[in-house]
Amino acid sequence: MRFFKLCALTLSLLLMAEFGALAQTRTISGKVVDSGKVPVVGAAVIQEGTRNGNTTGTNGEFSINVPAQDVILEVSCLGYQTERVSVPASQGNIVVVLKDDSFSLTETVVVGYGTQKKVNLTGAVEQVTSDVFEGRAATNVTQMLEGAVPNLNITLADGKPGRTADFNVR
């Protein structure tokens, strides 16, 4: 009987220590701006070495929960160089300035569900600029793209609000 009490006590102490370690987190808040102090929308803020992350809102602000120790945050966004920021345990608010990376923008092509470098891309590429959209009377981008891109077939399911179109590239 004494053995079981000792085992139960040891197990409960281990569980309390585990839950105590899990509870030791803190929140880092901040803002991501470019070199002109303009907020960067949609930048990824990720704790290095983990999948713990968040994105910046329309005003460039973010908030992320991290362990209560020194951490390194990786801040990245398309068109900017990735920044690694060391945040001490005593600091809770930061401002990250991203530098322009125009070279990577000219070498990046958005394809379907991701991005590829231009050098790895095979097949035909079509570019739609704002000149195509000028003078077109349409309520959304889908209708504006209709007929503007060769081999792009757009099928509208029906006219009900909230329905999306199907895009098919031949």
Side-chain angles (χ1 to χ4, degrees):
M1 184 67 156
R2 187 173 195 188
F3 174 74
F4 290 118
K5 285 184 181 179
L6 183 61
C7 287
L9 178 64
T10 304
L11 184 62
S12 64
L13 288 175
L14 286 173
L15 285 174
M16 283 192 291
E18 181 67 27
F19 287 124
L22 290 175
Q24 295 177 356
T25 62
R26 65 185 173 121
T27 301
I28 297 176
S29 300
K31 189 170 188 174
V32 179
V33 296
D34 65 8
S35 55
K37 304 296 183 215
V38 176
V40 177
V41 179
V45 182
I46 300 173
Q47 179 186 349
E48 186 180 58
T50 69
R51 298 180 120 197
N52 180 26
N54 206 347
T55 57
T56 58
T58 55
N59 53 3
E61 294 180 352
F62 69 92
S63 178
I64 182 172
N65 291 324
V66 297
Q69 59 192 21
D70 295 353
V71 294
I72 296 176
L73 298 179
E74 290 182 0
V75 183
S76 61
C77 188
L78 186 63
Y80 297 96
Q81 294 176 1
T82 299
E83 291 289 328
R84 292 180 68 230
V85 181
S86 178
V87 183
S90 60
Q91 191 174 4
N93 198 359
I94 62 171
V95 174
V96 180
V97 179
L98 294 181
K99 297 179 185 101
D100 291 336
D101 189 9
S102 58
F103 177 73
S104 74
L105 242 184
T106 60
E107 297 300 318
T108 303
V109 178
V110 177
V111 289
Y113 295 101
T115 59
Q116 284 186 354
K117 291 206 178 269
K118 201 179 227 180
V119 71
N120 296 335
L121 185 66
T122 59
V125 175
E126 179 66 28
Q127 181 176 1
V128 179
T129 62
S130 61
D131 298 337
V132 173
F133 295 139
E134 288 179 15
R136 286 186 178 230
T139 58
N140 58 35
V141 177
T142 301
Q143 291 176 346
M144 293 174 118
L145 282 174
E146 219 166 10
V149 179
N151 297 322
L152 176 64
N153 299 321
I154 301 172
T155 307
L156 298 172
D158 53 29
K160 294 180 182 173
R163 297 290 173 103
T164 59
D166 291 327
F167 293 87
N168 180 18
V169 180
R170 287 192 289 141

